[in-house]
PDB file of all heavy atoms in Angstrom:
ATOM      1  N   ARG A 276      17.993  24.773 -36.908  1.00 44.00           N
ATOM      2  CA  ARG A 276      19.315  24.903 -36.282  1.00 44.00           C
ATOM      3  C   ARG A 276      20.335  25.400 -37.295  1.00 44.00           C
ATOM      4  O   ARG A 276      21.201  26.206 -36.982  1.00 44.00           O
ATOM      5  CB  ARG A 276      19.750  23.564 -35.695  1.00 44.00           C
ATOM      6  CG  ARG A 276      18.988  23.185 -34.455  1.00 44.00           C
ATOM      7  CD  ARG A 276      19.598  21.944 -33.802  1.00 44.00           C
ATOM      8  NE  ARG A 276      18.651  21.360 -32.903  1.00 44.00           N
ATOM      9  CZ  ARG A 276      18.104  20.168 -33.023  1.00 44.00           C
ATOM     10  NH1 ARG A 276      18.437  19.380 -34.019  1.00 44.00           N
ATOM     11  NH2 ARG A 276      17.234  19.725 -32.145  1.00 44.00           N
ATOM     12  N   ALA A 277      20.241  24.906 -38.523  1.00 45.00           N
ATOM     13  CA  ALA A 277      21.174  25.332 -39.557  1.00 45.00           C
ATOM     14  C   ALA A 277      21.023  26.822 -39.829  1.00 45.00           C
ATOM     15  O   ALA A 277      22.010  27.543 -39.981  1.00 45.00           O
ATOM     16  CB  ALA A 277      20.954  24.534 -40.838  1.00 45.00           C
ATOM     17  N   GLY A 278      19.803  27.308 -39.871  1.00 45.00           N
ATOM     18  CA  GLY A 278      19.553  28.731 -40.078  1.00 45.00           C
ATOM     19  C   GLY A 278      20.104  29.567 -38.944  1.00 45.00           C
ATOM     20  O   GLY A 278      20.677  30.631 -39.152  1.00 45.00           O
ATOM     21  N   ALA A 279      19.957  29.078 -37.715  1.00 44.00           N
ATOM     22  CA  ALA A 279      20.487  29.795 -36.556  1.00 44.00           C
ATOM     23  C   ALA A 279      22.003  29.808 -36.588  1.00 44.00           C
ATOM     24  O   ALA A 279      22.642  30.797 -36.243  1.00 44.00           O
ATOM     25  CB  ALA A 279      19.989  29.158 -35.262  1.00 44.00           C
ATOM     26  N   ALA A 280      22.629  28.706 -37.023  1.00 44.00           N
ATOM     27  CA  ALA A 280      24.080  28.633 -37.102  1.00 44.00           C
ATOM     28  C   ALA A 280      24.598  29.611 -38.141  1.00 44.00           C
ATOM     29  O   ALA A 280      25.620  30.276 -37.932  1.00 44.00           O
ATOM     30  CB  ALA A 280      24.521  27.209 -37.432  1.00 44.00           C
ATOM     31  N   LYS A 281      23.927  29.750 -39.287  1.00 42.00           N
ATOM     32  CA  LYS A 281      24.337  30.697 -40.314  1.00 42.00           C
ATOM     33  C   LYS A 281      24.280  32.118 -39.780  1.00 42.00           C
ATOM     34  O   LYS A 281      25.179  32.920 -40.018  1.00 42.00           O
ATOM     35  CB  LYS A 281      23.432  30.579 -41.545  1.00 42.00           C
ATOM     36  CG  LYS A 281      23.669  29.339 -42.360  1.00 42.00           C
ATOM     37  CD  LYS A 281      22.707  29.302 -43.528  1.00 42.00           C
ATOM     38  CE  LYS A 281      22.771  27.965 -44.241  1.00 42.00           C
ATOM     39  NZ  LYS A 281      21.754  27.862 -45.297  1.00 42.00           N
ATOM     40  N   THR A 282      23.234  32.432 -39.053  1.00 42.00           N
ATOM     41  CA  THR A 282      23.079  33.768 -38.488  1.00 42.00           C
ATOM     42  C   THR A 282      24.203  34.056 -37.501  1.00 42.00           C
ATOM     43  O   THR A 282      24.800  35.128 -37.513  1.00 42.00           O
ATOM     44  CB  THR A 282      21.717  33.899 -37.770  1.00 42.00           C
ATOM     45  OG1 THR A 282      20.687  33.550 -38.684  1.00 42.00           O
ATOM     46  CG2 THR A 282      21.501  35.293 -37.243  1.00 42.00           C
ATOM     47  N   THR A 283      24.540  33.081 -36.654  1.00 42.00           N
ATOM     48  CA  THR A 283      25.594  33.255 -35.661  1.00 42.00           C
ATOM     49  C   THR A 283      26.945  33.408 -36.331  1.00 42.00           C
ATOM     50  O   THR A 283      27.737  34.262 -35.952  1.00 42.00           O
ATOM     51  CB  THR A 283      25.608  32.060 -34.679  1.00 42.00           C
ATOM     52  OG1 THR A 283      24.300  31.913 -34.145  1.00 42.00           O
ATOM     53  CG2 THR A 283      26.595  32.278 -33.562  1.00 42.00           C
ATOM     54  N   SER A 284      27.227  32.582 -37.326  1.00 43.00           N
ATOM     55  CA  SER A 284      28.531  32.654 -37.987  1.00 43.00           C
ATOM     56  C   SER A 284      28.659  33.944 -38.779  1.00 43.00           C
ATOM     57  O   SER A 284      29.730  34.518 -38.865  1.00 43.00           O
ATOM     58  CB  SER A 284      28.744  31.444 -38.897  1.00 43.00           C
ATOM     59  OG  SER A 284      27.793  31.428 -39.937  1.00 43.00           O
ATOM     60  N   ALA A 285      27.592  34.436 -39.358  1.00 42.00           N
ATOM     61  CA  ALA A 285      27.628  35.700 -40.086  1.00 42.00           C
ATOM     62  C   ALA A 285      27.932  36.851 -39.146  1.00 42.00           C
ATOM     63  O   ALA A 285      28.697  37.748 -39.476  1.00 42.00           O
ATOM     64  CB  ALA A 285      26.309  35.940 -40.800  1.00 42.00           C
ATOM     65  N   ALA A 286      27.369  36.806 -37.955  1.00 43.00           N
ATOM     66  CA  ALA A 286      27.623  37.859 -36.969  1.00 43.00           C
ATOM     67  C   ALA A 286      29.073  37.803 -36.510  1.00 43.00           C
ATOM     68  O   ALA A 286      29.714  38.817 -36.308  1.00 43.00           O
ATOM     69  CB  ALA A 286      26.686  37.721 -35.775  1.00 43.00           C
ATOM     70  N   GLY A 287      29.613  36.596 -36.341  1.00 46.00           N
ATOM     71  CA  GLY A 287      31.002  36.432 -35.909  1.00 46.00           C
ATOM     72  C   GLY A 287      31.965  36.873 -36.988  1.00 46.00           C
ATOM     73  O   GLY A 287      33.033  37.404 -36.712  1.00 46.00           O
ATOM     74  N   ALA A 288      31.643  36.683 -38.252  1.00 44.00           N
ATOM     75  CA  ALA A 288      32.521  37.038 -39.358  1.00 44.00           C
ATOM     76  C   ALA A 288      32.631  38.544 -39.500  1.00 44.00           C
ATOM     77  O   ALA A 288      33.643  39.059 -39.928  1.00 44.00           O
ATOM     78  CB  ALA A 288      32.014  36.426 -40.655  1.00 44.00           C
ATOM     79  N   SER A 289      31.626  39.273 -39.143  1.00 44.00           N
ATOM     80  CA  SER A 289      31.659  40.723 -39.308  1.00 44.00           C
ATOM     81  C   SER A 289      32.502  41.390 -38.233  1.00 44.00           C
ATOM     82  O   SER A 289      32.755  42.578 -38.298  1.00 44.00           O
ATOM     83  CB  SER A 289      30.245  41.300 -39.291  1.00 44.00           C
ATOM     84  OG  SER A 289      29.667  41.140 -38.002  1.00 44.00           O
ATOM     85  N   GLY A 290      32.926  40.652 -37.232  1.00 46.00           N
ATOM     86  CA  GLY A 290      33.797  41.202 -36.205  1.00 46.00           C
ATOM     87  C   GLY A 290      33.036  41.666 -34.980  1.00 46.00           C
ATOM     88  O   GLY A 290      33.639  41.876 -33.942  1.00 46.00           O
ATOM     89  N   THR A 291      31.751  41.899 -35.086  1.00 46.00           N
ATOM     90  CA  THR A 291      30.965  42.311 -33.931  1.00 46.00           C
ATOM     91  C   THR A 291      30.042  41.163 -33.562  1.00 46.00           C
ATOM     92  O   THR A 291      28.969  41.013 -34.121  1.00 46.00           O
ATOM     93  CB  THR A 291      30.120  43.557 -34.234  1.00 46.00           C
ATOM     94  OG1 THR A 291      29.307  43.276 -35.357  1.00 46.00           O
ATOM     95  CG2 THR A 291      30.992  44.767 -34.500  1.00 46.00           C
ATOM     96  N   ALA A 292      30.507  40.335 -32.677  1.00 47.00           N
ATOM     97  CA  ALA A 292      29.731  39.170 -32.264  1.00 47.00           C
ATOM     98  C   ALA A 292      28.599  39.626 -31.350  1.00 47.00           C
ATOM     99  O   ALA A 292      28.841  40.250 -30.325  1.00 47.00           O
ATOM    100  CB  ALA A 292      30.626  38.174 -31.538  1.00 47.00           C
ATOM    101  N   LYS A 293      27.408  39.337 -31.775  1.00 47.00           N
ATOM    102  CA  LYS A 293      26.236  39.673 -30.964  1.00 47.00           C
ATOM    103  C   LYS A 293      25.757  38.406 -30.284  1.00 47.00           C
ATOM    104  O   LYS A 293      25.743  37.338 -30.884  1.00 47.00           O
ATOM    105  CB  LYS A 293      25.114  40.231 -31.830  1.00 47.00           C
ATOM    106  CG  LYS A 293      25.395  41.591 -32.381  1.00 47.00           C
ATOM    107  CD  LYS A 293      24.182  42.125 -33.090  1.00 47.00           C
ATOM    108  CE  LYS A 293      24.419  43.534 -33.571  1.00 47.00           C
ATOM    109  NZ  LYS A 293      23.234  44.079 -34.229  1.00 47.00           N
ATOM    110  N   LYS A 294      25.372  38.550 -29.063  1.00 48.00           N
ATOM    111  CA  LYS A 294      24.825  37.420 -28.328  1.00 48.00           C
ATOM    112  C   LYS A 294      23.408  37.160 -28.813  1.00 48.00           C
ATOM    113  O   LYS A 294      22.567  38.058 -28.826  1.00 48.00           O
ATOM    114  CB  LYS A 294      24.826  37.724 -26.833  1.00 48.00           C
ATOM    115  CG  LYS A 294      24.349  36.571 -25.985  1.00 48.00           C
ATOM    116  CD  LYS A 294      24.408  36.919 -24.515  1.00 48.00           C
ATOM    117  CE  LYS A 294      23.866  35.773 -23.703  1.00 48.00           C
ATOM    118  NZ  LYS A 294      23.844  36.084 -22.283  1.00 48.00           N
TER     119      LYS A 294
END
Side-chain angles (χ1 to χ4, degrees):
R276 288 188 198 116
K281 287 179 189 175
T282 305
T283 306
S284 63
S289 67
T291 56
K293 290 186 176 182
K294 183 178 177 183

